[in-house]
């Protein structure tokens, strides 16, 4: 091939010059990308941690400061007073009663939902979650409409010498109702996961229905029940709205720990209110630790049941 101009020499080479970056882009140094990733990570961690600090850690520190504002002696005097000890006792009694009732009926309801086929089964499963959807104040109002002096059953019960409202039966009823789904919703997935093969094998071998439940089913759902019990305890210890309506808040009689905090704040006894709140917060932390342990055991049983099936 000849050059069109004899005075021009064309030199052919295989070297390729580096192309320019596409339009709209720029060359970025490695250390620039590194610092940008660090900044993104700091933002992603800092925002939720800051949110947690504002909503949880900050108020908790404020409660601790208020509880020990007058010294450790005033703190112990507040939490060991007659009214405080009685409030703690009432709170534990209501929580224990709710745990027993919800464990027995919760397991029975979960068993019915998982093992029996009947019309309205889905409706029953939805009604179980009703206490989570309804405000505790509304629950207390419904109890007053049913068992109050002018309610449906109140006059008849009062005539029989049984007083429900403004006493422990109404408090137990409301506390049990608001925590009903806790055990049911923890046992139901475990029963669904383990299936019925082991139960059918036990029945073929001659075991009765009760023996099958105690020796086959109960060992498989024990950690689910325990986790539901922990949830029930956490829910009942902090119950306030419904109990406030049905108990009357009588000091030394129908006053729970949360109602005591409310009354002490109303009377401007901040140290006592903060001290009782610290005890409830400590109980909640202990329950949270237990829940994490029980959750691990429950998940392990679920994985084992899944591998068997």
């Amino acid at each position: 091939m000849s050059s069109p101009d004899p005075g021009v020499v064309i030199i052919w080479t295989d070297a390729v010059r580096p192309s320019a970056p596409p339009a709209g882009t720029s060359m970025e140094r490695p250390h620039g990308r590194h610092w940008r990733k660090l900044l993104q990570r700091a933002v992603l961690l800092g925002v939720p941690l800051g949110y947690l600090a504002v909503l949880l850690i900050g108020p908790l520190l404020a409660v601790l400061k208020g509880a020990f504002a007058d010294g450790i002696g005033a703190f112990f005097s507040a939490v060991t007073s007659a009214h405080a000890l009685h409030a703690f006792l009432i709170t534990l009694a209501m929580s224990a009663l709710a745990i027993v009732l919800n464990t027995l009926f919760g397991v029975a309801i979960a068993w019915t939902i998982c093992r029996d086929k009947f019309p309205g089964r889905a409706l029953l499963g939805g009604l179980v979650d009703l206490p989570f959807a309804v405000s505790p104040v509304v629950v207390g109002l419904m109890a007053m409409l049913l068992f109050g002096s002018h309610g449906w059953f109140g006059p008849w019960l009062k005539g029989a010498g049984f007083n429900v409202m403004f006493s422990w039966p109404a408090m137990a009823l409301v506390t049990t109702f608001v925590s009903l789904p806790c055990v049911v919703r923890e046992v139901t997935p475990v029963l669904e996961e383990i299936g019925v093969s082991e139960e059918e094998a036990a029945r073929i071998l001659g075991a009765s229905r009760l023996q099958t439940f105690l020796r086959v089913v109960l060992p498989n759902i024990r950690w689910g029940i325990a986790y539901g019990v922990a949830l029930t305890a956490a829910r009942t210890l902090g119950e306030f709205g419904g109990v406030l309506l049905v108990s009357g808040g009588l000091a030394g009689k129908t006053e729970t720990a949360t109602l005591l905090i409310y009354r002490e704040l109303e009377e401007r006894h901040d140290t006592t209110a903060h001290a009782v709140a610290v005890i409830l917060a400590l109980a909640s932390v202990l329950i949270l630790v237990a829940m994490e342990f029980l959750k691990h055991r429950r998940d392990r049983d679920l994985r084992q049941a899944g591998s068997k099936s």
Side-chain angles (χ1 to χ4, degrees), residues 36-97:
R36 189 175 67 178
K37 290 181 179 179
L38 289 179
L39 180 61
Q40 291 175 350
R41 183 176 299 177
V43 171
L44 291 176
L45 290 177
V47 171
L49 289 178
Y51 180 80
L52 182 64
V54 170
L55 292 185
L56 181 61
I57 299 177
L60 182 59
L61 293 178
V63 171
L64 287 172
K65 180 181 178 181
F68 294 96
D70 297 331
I72 191 170
F75 171 83
F76 282 108
S77 297
V79 298
T80 56
S81 65
H83 284 171
L85 292 177
H86 187 271
F88 290 140
L89 180 61
I90 291 293
T91 301
L92 291 176
M94 294 299 103
S95 180
L97 185 58

Side-chain angles (χ1 to χ4, degrees), residues 211-222:
Q211 290 175 330
T212 301
F213 176 80
L214 293 177
R215 298 183 180 181
V216 178
V217 179
L218 187 59
N220 288 328
I221 66 174
R222 64 188 186 280

Side-chain angles (χ1 to χ4, degrees), residues 246-269:
V246 302
S247 69
L250 303 177
K253 294 183 179 180
T254 61
E255 190 175 57
T256 62
T258 52
L259 297 183
L260 175 62
I261 294 173
Y262 176 75
R263 180 174 64 82
E264 295 294 340
L265 287 175
E266 287 287 313
E267 296 176 358
R268 299 295 188 268
H269 299 157

Side-chain angles (χ1 to χ4, degrees), residues 193-207:
E193 188 68 29
I194 63 177
V196 297
S197 58
E198 294 183 2
E199 301 170 31
E200 292 175 348
R203 291 181 188 140
I204 292 174
L205 294 175

Side-chain angles (χ1 to χ4, degrees), residues 5-301:
D5 189 350
V8 178
V9 178
I10 298 177
I11 301 176
W12 299 95
T13 177
D14 294 330
V16 179
R17 295 181 181 181
S19 59
T25 62
S26 60
M27 299 295 290
E28 186 177 12
R29 296 180 179 181
H31 69 274
R33 291 194 301 269
H34 175 70
W35 284 109
R36 189 175 67 178
K37 290 181 179 179
L38 289 179
L39 180 61
Q40 291 175 350
R41 183 176 299 177
V43 171
L44 291 176
L45 290 177
V47 171
L49 289 178
Y51 180 80
L52 182 64
V54 170
L55 292 185
L56 181 61
I57 299 177
L60 182 59
L61 293 178
V63 171
L64 287 172
K65 180 181 178 181
F68 294 96
D70 297 331
I72 191 170
F75 171 83
F76 282 108
S77 297
V79 298
T80 56
S81 65
H83 284 171
L85 292 177
H86 187 271
F88 290 140
L89 180 61
I90 291 293
T91 301
L92 291 176
M94 294 299 103
S95 180
L97 185 58
I99 287 173
V100 172
L101 293 176
N102 284 334
T103 300
L104 294 176
F105 289 102
V107 172
I109 293 172
W111 178 276
T112 302
I113 293 175
C114 295
R115 295 294 186 262
D116 295 336
K117 307 296 182 181
F118 57 91
R121 177 169 170 264
L123 178 61
L124 176 62
L127 289 176
V128 168
D129 294 328
L130 184 62
F132 282 164
V134 178
S135 170
V137 176
V138 177
V139 176
L141 179 60
M142 290 189 297
M144 294 181 66
L145 294 176
L146 290 175
F147 304 105
S149 58
H150 301 287
W152 291 3
F153 309 109
W156 179 77
L157 291 172
K158 189 174 182 180
F162 189 71
N163 187 27
V164 176
M165 294 303 302
F166 308 120
S167 60
W168 71 265
M171 299 168 62
L173 177 65
V174 170
T175 305
T176 303
F177 181 83
V178 299
S179 57
L180 173 64
C182 296
V183 173
V184 178
R185 288 310 174 199
E186 295 304 321
V187 174
T188 299
V190 182
L191 285 173
E192 292 176 346
E193 188 68 29
I194 63 177
V196 297
S197 58
E198 294 183 2
E199 301 170 31
E200 292 175 348
R203 291 181 188 140
I204 292 174
L205 294 175
S208 65
R209 193 177 182 89
L210 180 60
Q211 290 175 330
T212 301
F213 176 80
L214 293 177
R215 298 183 180 181
V216 178
V217 179
L218 187 59
N220 288 328
I221 66 174
R222 64 188 186 280
W223 294 113
I225 294 176
Y227 190 74
V229 166
L231 284 176
T232 304
R235 179 66 184 85
T236 55
L237 286 179
E239 173 53 30
F240 175 73
V243 173
L244 178 64
L245 289 181
V246 302
S247 69
L250 303 177
K253 294 183 179 180
T254 61
E255 190 175 57
T256 62
T258 52
L259 297 183
L260 175 62
I261 294 173
Y262 176 75
R263 180 174 64 82
E264 295 294 340
L265 287 175
E266 287 287 313
E267 296 176 358
R268 299 295 188 268
H269 299 157
D270 294 347
T271 301
T272 303
H274 290 161
V276 176
V278 167
I279 298 300
L280 288 183
L282 179 60
S284 299
V285 170
L286 294 177
I287 293 174
L288 180 63
V289 173
M291 286 172 58
E292 288 300 316
F293 170 76
L294 295 173
K295 182 180 179 180
H296 174 73
R297 300 299 296 267
R298 183 202 60 180
D299 293 343
R300 187 191 65 178
D301 285 358

